[in-house]
Amino acid sequence: MAIKNIHLSLSQQDKVYAMKFLNSNNLKKELKYDNELIEIEVSSNSKERINTETITEEITNLIINIMKDKLLKEYILKQYNDTYFNEKEKIYVYSLDLFKEQEPLIRDSIYNKVYNYILNNNYINIEGFVKFRMKEFMSYISNIGDIAVEEYIMKKDQDEFINVLKYFVEIQDEKIDLLRVHIMKDDSFILYDKNGKIIDNIDDEEIINMVIQENLNYEDFLISTLLTLCPGTIEILDTLNNNSSKEITETIKSIFGDRVTSIYQN
C-alpha cells in the first residue's frame, strides 16, 4: 500500500532524533524549522507514492529512540534523583538492557499504532502521538525503570557479597588440594577428592548451623561447603547443563577465580 507525502513535527528539544530520522533509509526528507517545532516532510525519491510499511518502520524507529534514549532516562533521573543520586546513570544503563528485552513487543505495538494512524492521516506530531495515543507505553517506561532499580541494587549487593567471599577465600589456608564437583541432572551435587573418593561426611558444625539457620538450598549449601573446604583447585563436571547450573558455576568462578575449571556434559 502507498500513501501521499507525510509531514512530521517534533519539538525543538528532540532535534537529535530528528537528525537521525533524516539520515535513515532512502526516502526524501525536507527539514523545516519554526519557533517551536521541527517540521519534516517525507516523500518518495521516485514518482511513486511512499510505501506505508517503509515510513511506518522509520517512524517506529524514531519513537523507539525517543522512548529509550529520552523518556526512560528522564523517568529514572526524575524518580530516583534523590534516592540514588550517584548511581542514577548506572541504573539508566542497566534499564536499557531491560528495555532491549521487551523491545520486540513494544516495537510491534508501536508499529501497528503508527500504521493505522497514517492510513488516515498525513500529519503526525510525534510528541502528541506518544503522549495521547501511547499512554500505556509510559507505564511500560515506569515499570522498566522501577524493575531496573530493584535489579541493579540486588546485583550491587550480590557483587559486594561476592567480594567479601573472595577476600575470605584469599585469607584462608587450603584444606584440600583438589575438589571435584559433579552437578547432577536432578540439580543436586556430589563432591569427590583428588582420588575420586566421594566426600560424604561433611559434618562441619559451622556448615550445619548455617544450613539450618538460613534454610539454604542446594546451591547455597554447595557454596558454603566450598568455602569451608577451601580447595586449592576446583573441577566442575556439569551434567545438568542448564541456566541454573551454569549460573552456580559462574558464581563459584567469581568467588574462587582461576582455581576453577568446568566441563559441561549432556
Side-chain angles (χ1 to χ4, degrees):
M1 184 179 293
I3 57 175
K4 296 180 180 179
N5 295 0
I6 289 289
H7 297 261
L8 289 82
S9 65
L10 299 92
S11 64
Q12 291 285 354
Q13 62 180 356
D14 291 334
K15 181 179 179 180
V16 62
Y17 306 108
M19 300 310 295
K20 287 182 180 180
F21 181 77
L22 284 168
N23 293 329
S24 63
N25 214 295
N26 60 352
L27 294 174
K28 181 180 178 182
K29 295 162 187 160
E30 183 178 354
L31 179 65
K32 300 177 181 179
Y33 289 93
D34 63 23
N35 292 331
E36 298 181 356
L37 297 175
I38 299 173
E39 299 281 352
I40 301 176
E41 181 179 357
V42 184
S43 58
S44 175
N45 284 328
S46 65
K47 294 182 180 179
E48 298 179 358
R49 295 185 173 188
I50 301 172
N51 182 277
T52 308
E53 287 77 11
T54 300
I55 187 59
T56 298
E57 183 68 29
E58 289 207 32
I59 294 174
T60 299
N61 290 337
L62 171 63
I63 293 175
I64 286 286
N65 288 334
I66 291 175
M67 287 182 68
K68 66 181 181 181
D69 295 340
K70 177 187 175 183
L71 300 179
L72 179 57
K73 187 171 187 177
E74 285 179 349
Y75 175 81
I76 290 175
L77 298 186
K78 179 180 179 181
Q79 193 74 12
Y80 296 101
N81 183 67
D82 294 336
T83 311
Y84 301 108
F85 179 79
N86 295 323
E87 298 172 295
K88 56 184 184 293
E89 290 290 343
K90 294 180 181 179
I91 292 172
Y92 167 64
V93 172
Y94 201 86
S95 72
L96 289 176
D97 291 333
L98 297 179
F99 187 96
K100 186 176 181 180
E101 294 176 4
Q102 300 298 322
E103 187 169 328
L105 293 175
I106 295 174
R107 179 177 293 276
D108 287 344
S109 185
I110 294 174
Y111 182 95
N112 291 331
K113 285 181 178 292
V114 172
Y115 183 88
N116 292 328
Y117 181 81
I118 65 175
L119 283 180
N120 301 306
N121 300 273
N122 61 3
Y123 173 79
I124 177 171
N125 178 286
I126 298 300
E127 185 175 9
F129 186 85
V130 172
K131 184 176 181 180
F132 298 108
R133 293 180 177 268
M134 294 172 45
K135 292 181 180 180
E136 71 274 18
F137 287 92
M138 292 312 299
S139 66
Y140 291 170
I141 290 295
S142 61
N143 287 338
I144 289 173
D146 294 340
I147 293 172
V149 171
E150 293 178 4
E151 294 192 0
Y152 172 81
I153 298 303
M154 288 177 60
K155 181 65 165 57
K156 179 185 175 184
D157 291 343
Q158 182 183 37
D159 289 344
E160 291 176 351
F161 184 60
I162 292 294
N163 287 333
V164 171
L165 297 182
K166 287 173 65 176
Y167 176 73
F168 176 82
V169 169
E170 290 172 358
I171 64 175
Q172 293 298 308
D173 294 328
E174 295 177 7
K175 298 179 181 178
I176 182 173
D177 294 335
L178 171 64
L179 181 66
R180 293 189 173 96
V181 180
H182 187 180
I183 302 178
M184 309 296 288
K185 290 188 176 182
D186 63 356
D187 207 17
S188 63
F189 62 89
I190 300 176
L191 303 181
Y192 301 88
D193 63 17
K194 63 182 179 181
N195 298 314
K197 181 180 179 181
I198 294 178
I199 301 175
D200 58 1
N201 61 338
I202 304 173
D203 55 2
D204 187 279
E205 184 177 353
E206 183 178 351
I207 295 180
I208 295 174
N209 288 336
M210 188 181 300
V211 171
I212 295 174
Q213 293 174 10
E214 303 295 335
N215 190 26
L216 300 184
N217 56 29
Y218 271 129
E219 292 83 358
D220 298 328
F221 180 49
L222 174 57
I223 294 295
S224 300
T225 303
L226 295 179
L227 290 171
T228 300
L229 295 176
C230 203
T233 303
I234 301 174
E235 295 180 356
I236 301 176
L237 175 61
D238 181 4
T239 53
L240 178 58
N241 198 9
N242 64 8
N243 290 336
S244 176
S245 62
K246 290 178 181 178
E247 182 177 346
I248 187 63
T249 298
E250 290 305 312
T251 300
I252 294 172
K253 288 181 177 180
S254 67
I255 298 172
F256 290 90
D258 56 10
R259 300 188 189 192
V260 183
T261 59
S262 58
I263 299 174
Y264 295 99
Q265 188 179 80
N266 293 326

